[in-house]
Amino acid sequence: MKVAHKFGVRRFQSLTELVEHQNPTIHSEFQIPGTKNHDPNPCLLDESTYPMFQVELQNYMENLERDFESGRSYTSFKFGDGDYNFLKRIPSGSAQPGKRAVSRNLSKSEMSPFITGSKKCNKYFCEIYPENRKMFQEVIGSDRNTIPAEFNYGLVSNKWLFKEFGSSIGIIGASEKVDLIRQLMQYPEYQEYLGLREFSDYIKVPQKFACDDLESLEISMKEQFKEAKSKLFLFGIGHVKSGIAWKLNSFWPAIYLDIGSGIDAIAGIIDEKRPYFGDWTNHQLRSGFDYSKLDLLQLEKSKVKFLN
């Protein structure tokens, strides 16, 4: 049985062969070649959590290839527990006022475009954790199909996305992280690590409190997209995606993949316990960039390689 499509390194012909080359801390059904997953969630030990993971991963990759080649355009939304808190107006974690997404409590009328916008994307990603799927159904709806968010984590981590679509990939993220990625991409060593010569677009959103003024953000993004060229964008923009992600292909026609914390990996600041990034090497700069200005999601332990 062929477990994986072309990942750029090798093909795995069976689950047995795959397991021999992977970290066996999760069930073989959830392995993605070229990655290690140190995620401790117990559901990943039980195949019944999502028994079609491998089949759907293969289909997802093949569909992406076809969509890219045919020039399709659509938006996506990666749902997590933080999005549940934000959309339910629960002041916790990244949804806590003054923490990351908002500087203050938003009124019901101010929250309205986020709540309605979160339900208008074309595709939805959600981790396979049963608790997250339950939250998704409560907030977004049970009538929408979801794709495992783990697919995009893994396909960033093993660099398949870069190698497959490197001719036309753009980045959308927090301004400071986008500036850092742009600097990292000046180094041939990092280009070689990703298997990508360059990103063709860099689109910025505010790192903090982006949800405070959705109208101003939309104006800023429209202006930036006037120079866009990419056929596919990878983005991770926090909770403001609820209000803006569904509009992205009206700014510029492309495929928009919400990769969530995958943006942190590309910026070289991902923790090894994040799903599928256990074998990722964070490439960083000793000088020339002030890392203290970054709003870090979680960074306790990782492999680091300095580029200067």
Side-chain angles (χ1 to χ4, degrees):
M1 178 177 65
K2 192 168 290 185
V3 175
H5 193 45
K6 45 187 178 181
F7 284 90
V9 178
R10 62 169 298 172
R11 292 173 182 258
F12 287 78
Q13 299 298 322
S14 69
L15 285 175
T16 300
E17 183 187 1
L18 183 150
V19 171
E20 289 174 351
H21 288 80
Q22 300 299 118
N23 186 334
T25 56
I26 64 173
H27 193 280
S28 58
E29 181 66 24
F30 307 126
Q31 302 276 359
I32 296 179
T35 72
K36 288 185 180 179
N37 191 350
H38 299 320
D39 184 352
N41 195 303
C43 77
L44 298 177
L45 298 172
D46 184 358
E47 181 182 12
S48 67
T49 297
Y50 205 94
M52 295 295 288
F53 190 92
Q54 291 296 327
V55 171
E56 291 187 17
L57 173 60
Q58 175 78 24
N59 291 338
Y60 177 67
M61 295 164 69
E62 292 176 353
N63 288 336
L64 264 183
E65 290 175 319
R66 284 194 293 267
D67 292 344
F68 184 86
E69 290 302 320
S70 64
R72 287 196 63 193
S73 173
Y74 50 79
T75 62
S76 68
F77 183 106
K78 200 284 291 182
F79 180 88
D81 55 354
D83 299 301
Y84 178 87
N85 291 335
F86 176 69
L87 294 169
K88 296 285 284 186
R89 302 181 71 202
I90 299 172
S92 177
S94 56
Q96 182 179 346
K99 177 81 171 180
R100 183 174 296 145
V102 290
S103 66
R104 55 186 171 78
N105 284 310
L106 300 184
S107 67
K108 287 186 177 180
S109 61
E110 288 176 310
M111 279 298 301
S112 180
F114 294 102
I115 294 170
T116 57
S118 69
K119 301 176 182 180
K120 292 183 176 181
C121 286
N122 303 121
K123 295 180 184 290
Y124 289 87
F125 299 102
C126 182
E127 287 96 350
I128 62 174
Y129 314 145
E131 60 271 25
N132 282 29
R133 297 260 159 166
K134 183 177 180 181
M135 286 188 283
F136 177 89
Q137 292 177 3
E138 180 181 341
V139 174
I140 305 297
S142 58
D143 59 334
R144 289 174 171 83
N145 293 325
T146 55
I147 302 166
E150 290 85 353
F151 291 174
N152 286 335
Y153 300 153
L155 297 178
V156 168
S157 185
N158 67 13
K159 296 95 170 180
W160 180 84
L161 282 168
F162 309 126
K163 293 169 183 173
E164 189 67 30
F165 308 114
S167 62
S168 190
I169 300 179
I171 290 287
I172 309 173
S175 57
E176 287 82 352
K177 292 177 185 176
V178 169
D179 288 341
L180 175 55
I181 293 169
R182 188 191 291 267
Q183 283 189 236
L184 292 173
M185 290 302 295
Q186 301 305 308
Y187 291 83
E189 185 177 349
Y190 195 50
Q191 296 174 14
E192 183 178 353
Y193 180 72
L194 294 186
L196 176 72
R197 188 173 65 181
E198 64 179 359
F199 290 108
S200 45
D201 289 297
Y202 294 92
I203 307 294
K204 303 178 183 181
V205 304
Q207 178 176 236
K208 282 195 171 185
F209 313 143
C211 297
D212 282 6
D213 190 343
L214 191 57
E215 184 176 346
S216 293
L217 175 63
E218 183 172 342
I219 293 171
S220 169
M221 294 188 77
K222 282 182 176 178
E223 186 65 27
Q224 294 179 71
F225 271 104
K226 286 182 178 179
E227 304 297 325
K229 304 178 289 294
S230 303
K231 293 173 62 176
L232 181 147
F233 281 89
L234 305 177
F235 73 94
I237 56 176
H239 299 315
V240 76
K241 65 188 173 187
S242 296
I244 204 76
W246 69 277
K247 295 183 177 183
L248 291 176
N249 62 349
S250 69
F251 302 160
W252 172 255
I255 296 169
Y256 293 89
L257 296 184
D258 185 353
I259 61 171
S261 59
I263 285 290
D264 284 12
I266 300 170
I269 51 173
I270 192 79
D271 190 271
E272 66 177 29
K273 287 188 175 64
R274 300 298 296 181
Y276 295 93
F277 287 102
D279 203 33
W280 182 266
T281 298
N282 281 326
H283 287 66
Q284 297 182 358
L285 304 174
R286 292 184 188 274
S287 60
F289 187 85
D290 181 7
Y291 280 83
S292 67
K293 64 184 180 180
L294 293 175
D295 181 22
L296 299 178
L297 178 65
Q298 170 193 346
L299 184 55
E300 298 174 357
K301 184 180 179 182
S302 70
K303 291 188 293 186
V304 175
K305 185 174 182 60
F306 291 102
L307 294 170
N308 62 6

